[in-house]
Amino acid sequence: MSSTTREWQALDRAHYLHPFTDHQALGEEGSRVITRAEGVYIHDSEGRRLLDGMAGLWCVNLGYGRRELAEVAAEQLRELPYYNSFFKTTHPPAVRLAEKLCALAPDHVNRVFFTGSGSEANDTALRMVRHYWALKGKPRKQVVIARDNAYHGSTVAGMSLGGMAPMQGQGGPGVPGIVHVPQPYWFGEGRERTPAAFGRECAAALEAKILELGEENVAAFIAEPVQGAGGAIIPPDSYWPEVRAVLARYDILLVVDEVICGFGRLGEWFGSQHYGLQPDLMPIAKGLSSGYLPIGGVLVSDRVAETLIEAGGEFFHGFTYSGHPVCAAVALKNLELLEAEGVVERVRDDLGPYLAERWTRLATHPLVGEARSLGLIGALELVADKASGRRFDKALAVGNLCRDLSLEAGLVMRSVGDTLIISPPLVITRDQIDELVTRARRALDEAARRLTAVDHGPSVGRVS
Ligand SMILES: *Cc1c(COP(=O)(O)O)cnc(C)c1O
């Protein structure tokens, strides 16, 4: 390892508290230092080039190194680096981005509230749905129904809406008035039923929860079209149509968290369009700027926006960086490039089906219990016994082993327990998809070899 890398690692260890990180483990192993990137590849300080199967953190939809985005940022920094849009002011980049987003969004969505991140977008959505019902003269309609194992961000509201037990176990109580219903995770929780029956069952659990709470107390249901951080969980085909039918029977709002599924991931501009959903609010972030600068927002339906506006008075909510001009200019250029280059259609018509065909071939691997994908998001379920689908002993941390071996093979995948996830940049080519699948298979083969060895004595080591 080079002395520069060692120096970065030492400073990192000494001063940098990372997000979602076990610092003891990190201290022992040292950070991987990423220094530059282009297209679908990242480079580390040791000169290794890795295929970024995660698009950064589900966000670099347009790929790395786009000069157009750098140039528009530089121009905007020179022209107007910052101004707010509080107190009856606005500026061209935020206005143009708002117009563009509403043109891409479903017809009943014509307004956007800007935030700095996806977490802030979900905080905004939570406050907005409750404020909406108060304005409607129904201040008791306050409870938000979310799902187990959902991810809606890391702020207090984001964590509370999310359904991740480890997060909820830290940092004290969350926001009151949020309840959770089962997630449509067939491989993990529903395999005694058919996927179709399990999807219906999860939708029925939502309806049961609405009835238990009383419709008059329920403000909204929030969900990701496909759960991302929870494990790239693609619901059974029956799930969303049944949920739609349930929601149609009650007067509660639908918040569709588009932070990952938005901007082409599922082959439509929004995951809601893929599943035919009519959301009242759509939190967005990540792919909005392809991650080049931090920006998020909430797309607001006419129903909610008109109530907020017509009721008069102020919504006491907003962020210093709401609609930040440089972030907005970069986001707008990102959307224009995605559109001009036909990226979203290519995911739908070519790359999504191609990935599905290649990725599902991994299902024949002895370690893989299920290989699934939709658009350019995919997952592998790792199992100890293929026939029964029995999982590995958690202590073996087989998911982490495969993730580390995948890095060795030159591919960034992510592990969530014993589920491996990919979510590559949307500009990936067919050849690069082949490369991704080949590297994933190499990692699985090596993991299988080590796990077989473990039966005969040697321990499964962490990959250094
Ligand atoms: C990442 C994510 C968030 C949080 O976004 P941040 O920008 O990290 O605050 C919210 N919802 C979903 C579905 C996400 O994947």
Side-chain angles (χ1 to χ4, degrees):
M1 192 174 296
S2 76
S3 60
T4 339
T5 299
R6 268 200 298 272
E7 198 176 312
W8 288 121
Q9 288 180 336
L11 290 169
D12 183 71
R13 202 178 278 122
H15 302 297
Y16 188 8
L17 284 176
H18 294 232
F20 285 95
T21 292
D22 173 343
H23 285 86
Q24 236 160 47
L26 183 71
E28 283 160 22
E29 292 169 35
S31 302
R32 181 182 298 277
V33 184
I34 305 302
T35 50
R36 63 194 178 83
E38 86 284 321
V40 300
Y41 297 97
I42 58 173
H43 296 252
D44 71 17
S45 56
E46 292 296 284
R48 296 197 62 222
R49 190 173 88 138
L50 303 167
L51 200 172
D52 184 5
M54 283 305 299
L57 210 44
W58 325 86
C59 54
V60 188
N61 290 10
L62 200 56
Y64 298 94
R66 293 299 300 250
R67 294 186 149 274
E68 301 93 325
L69 298 186
E71 276 154 19
V72 90
E75 263 166 49
Q76 188 58 47
L77 279 165
R78 283 191 287 263
E79 183 84 14
L80 178 70
Y82 176 76
Y83 201 72
N84 67 72
S85 36
F86 292 32
F87 321 129
K88 301 186 191 166
T89 57
T90 193
H91 45 67
V95 174
R96 289 204 199 99
L97 177 61
E99 180 201 21
K100 183 76 197 166
L101 277 167
C102 295
L104 295 172
D107 288 347
H108 69 292
V109 174
N110 290 292
R111 292 198 175 69
V112 61
F113 188 102
F114 287 117
T115 69
S117 69
S119 299
E120 290 172 19
N122 282 309
D123 275 57
T124 300
L126 176 66
R127 296 199 67 207
M128 212 179 257
V129 295
R130 289 176 169 176
H131 185 48
Y132 168 85
W133 286 114
L135 291 174
K136 284 291 200 189
K138 296 184 177 174
R140 281 175 57 211
K141 262 173 104 68
Q142 293 285 293
V143 179
V144 174
I145 303 176
R147 301 186 302 182
D148 296 335
N149 196 37
Y151 188 75
H152 296 298
S154 252
T155 51
V156 178
M159 173 278 285
S160 306
L161 290 166
M164 300 203 157
M167 289 180 76
Q168 302 198 333
Q170 296 175 337
V175 176
I178 296 170
V179 300
H180 293 83
V181 292
Q183 57 173 334
Y185 180 21
W186 178 75
F187 191 86
E189 298 176 357
R191 264 180 300 157
E192 317 77 67
R193 284 78 96 205
T194 63
F198 181 66
R200 284 193 296 273
E201 202 175 287
C202 292
L206 170 63
E207 180 156 41
K209 184 57 82 178
I210 295 169
L211 293 172
E212 173 198 324
L213 294 162
E215 181 187 357
E216 68 282 7
N217 297 311
V218 179
F221 172 58
I222 182 170
E224 304 154 79
V226 168
Q227 283 154 269
I233 295 164
I234 301 162
D237 290 342
S238 61
Y239 178 75
W240 277 116
E242 287 290 324
V243 168
R244 265 182 359 224
V246 168
L247 294 173
R249 289 196 278 276
Y250 304 94
D251 193 18
I252 65 180
L253 298 176
L254 172 62
V255 182
V256 178
D257 183 340
E258 293 275 4
V259 172
I260 285 177
C261 295
F263 310 105
R265 180 63 50 200
L266 305 187
E268 299 286 344
W269 280 96
F270 296 97
S272 294
Q273 293 159 329
H274 176 80
Y275 285 115
L277 307 176
Q278 288 273 312
D280 296 291
L281 297 176
M282 301 157 82
I284 53 174
K286 294 200 168 109
L288 168 56
S289 64
S290 283
Y292 278 57
L293 284 174
I295 182 167
V298 182
L299 285 161
V300 183
S301 65
D302 294 338
R303 172 185 180 179
V304 174
E306 279 157 19
T307 298
L308 290 177
I309 294 163
E310 281 160 18
E314 188 169 338
F315 181 36
F316 299 104
H317 182 80
F319 303 100
T320 304
Y321 301 131
S322 285
H324 190 288
V326 184
C327 303
V330 167
L332 176 62
K333 179 56 86 178
N334 172 59
L335 298 181
E336 287 172 354
L337 291 169
L338 285 171
E339 192 172 44
E341 294 171 11
V343 173
V344 179
E345 293 77 10
R346 192 156 67 245
V347 171
R348 186 189 59 209
D349 300 335
D350 182 43
L351 296 173
Y354 188 76
L355 176 71
E357 197 268 319
R358 296 294 149 132
W359 187 249
T360 48
R361 289 187 193 175
L362 294 172
T364 59
H365 195 279
L367 291 185
V368 175
E370 183 184 71
R372 58 176 179 265
S373 78
L374 176 64
L376 288 186
I377 190 168
L380 300 175
E381 299 285 0
L382 302 169
V383 291
D385 179 53
K386 226 175 146 64
S388 68
R390 182 171 54 80
R391 295 287 200 173
F392 285 100
D393 181 349
K394 273 197 171 48
L396 287 173
V398 172
N400 286 351
L401 172 71
C402 289
R403 179 208 50 204
D404 292 348
L405 289 168
S406 165
L407 288 169
E408 294 291 299
L411 169 67
V412 180
M413 285 199 281
R414 175 163 164 185
S415 57
V416 176
D418 285 347
T419 307
L420 294 174
I421 296 171
I422 53 158
S423 170
L426 306 185
V427 295
I428 195 169
T429 63
R430 282 183 169 221
D431 284 351
Q432 289 164 339
I433 287 176
D434 289 345
E435 185 181 318
L436 183 159
V437 174
T438 301
R439 291 178 184 194
R441 184 181 294 278
R442 205 177 302 152
L444 292 168
D445 286 345
E446 178 59 19
R449 204 183 58 74
R450 294 194 192 193
L451 289 162
T452 315
V454 88
D455 292 340
H456 306 291
S459 65
V460 181
R462 283 192 88 97
V463 179
S464 55

